[in-house]
Amino acid sequence: LLDRHVEVSNTTINLEKRYLNETEDYRVQAQTRWSKAYQKKYAAQLDAWLRELTGGERPSGARTEATYEDPHVALITLSASSKPDGERVGPVDHLEALQSSWRSTYHAMRNTLRSLGFESSEWQYDRRAEPHTGKRGEMGINECYSHEHVVLVVDGEVTASDLRPIVEKHVEKNEWAGSAAHGEDAIEVRKPEDLNDVAAY
């Protein structure tokens, strides 16, 4: 994984832009998900998606009207142990194991929202695996190990306890996910005006 990251970091992509008979050559630096530029780009996409659903000011200064009348934003964190049997596993194996339960977790999310009376048109989600920065834990021991963020936007009031079955299904179906790491703080529900930066939670 490290070799691949270094290889990509040292790679320049040569491109050509063509318009009618005019061409322009330019170069861009290759990126991986650990690159700051990559993360900045996808954070901007996440902000734009959230703005379309909940309304707000665009970077241009114009305002976007909300798609949802009463949006609530649920921030759900899913994780898995990097030392499931007492021995550390590699970051790629860890990420695959972390994501192995998503299908069941997604069905739990859909069924939970349906049981709460929400139609499929009344909720959307964005799911991203993000590497830990190394700022937490003993000596940055989890740096490069991922956790998943599910940003769920619902057009109507929901609570963390309403959405608890989603996290419980992840813990049930993921052999490396422990219940201790998925306590009450695994789900937060906020109104859009109380959410400063969805990418930073």
Side-chain angles (χ1 to χ4, degrees):
L1 178 65
L2 181 58
D3 288 344
R4 177 67 177 147
H5 176 65
V6 171
E7 179 186 352
V8 172
S9 298
N10 293 326
T11 299
T12 300
I13 302 171
N14 298 310
L15 299 168
E16 182 181 85
K17 185 180 189 180
R18 185 173 295 199
Y19 179 74
L20 300 176
N21 294 326
E22 297 180 10
T23 61
E24 177 186 349
D25 295 332
Y26 63 101
R27 298 178 172 189
V28 295
Q29 194 68 35
Q31 300 174 6
T32 70
R33 68 181 304 119
W34 282 269
S35 306
K36 287 184 180 179
Y38 180 101
Q39 293 176 359
K40 185 177 179 180
K41 172 183 175 182
Y42 282 91
Q45 288 181 351
L46 179 61
D47 288 342
W49 166 75
L50 192 61
R51 190 167 50 246
E52 290 299 316
L53 294 178
T54 65
E57 187 175 334
R58 297 179 181 175
S60 66
R63 287 201 58 82
T64 298
E65 292 300 319
T67 303
Y68 288 164
E69 292 181 9
D70 185 24
H72 287 69
V73 183
L75 311 171
I76 305 169
T77 303
L78 307 175
S79 63
S81 174
S82 62
K83 296 176 71 175
D85 298 312
E87 292 187 21
R88 190 164 299 281
V89 297
V92 175
D93 294 332
H94 174 264
L95 179 59
E96 288 180 355
L98 170 64
Q99 296 181 329
S100 66
S101 57
W102 174 247
R103 184 172 181 158
S104 298
T105 305
Y106 168 77
H107 288 310
M109 181 169 66
R110 182 197 63 203
N111 293 338
T112 297
L113 290 165
R114 183 182 295 159
S115 72
L116 293 170
F118 292 103
E119 300 290 333
S120 60
S121 61
E122 295 176 310
W123 59 274
Q124 291 186 29
Y125 75 95
D126 185 283
R127 168 181 166 244
R128 298 179 187 232
E130 295 293 339
H132 290 288
T133 62
K135 295 178 182 176
R136 299 181 196 165
E138 183 182 345
M139 298 172 62
I141 200 166
N142 285 321
E143 190 168 4
C144 291
Y145 286 88
S146 296
H147 56 287
E148 282 195 320
H149 290 160
V150 179
V151 180
L152 173 65
V153 185
V154 182
D155 192 6
E157 186 174 354
V158 291
T159 66
S161 59
D162 288 335
L163 304 176
R164 190 69 204 164
I166 300 169
V167 173
E168 290 173 353
K169 183 59 69 173
H170 170 71
V171 173
E172 175 193 338
K173 294 294 185 179
N174 195 303
E175 60 180 342
W176 292 2
S179 56
H182 293 87
E184 291 183 8
D185 59 349
I187 306 174
E188 297 178 38
V189 178
R190 301 182 191 174
K191 289 288 286 179
E193 57 267 25
D194 298 326
L195 190 63
N196 294 325
D197 183 2
V198 69
Y201 80 92

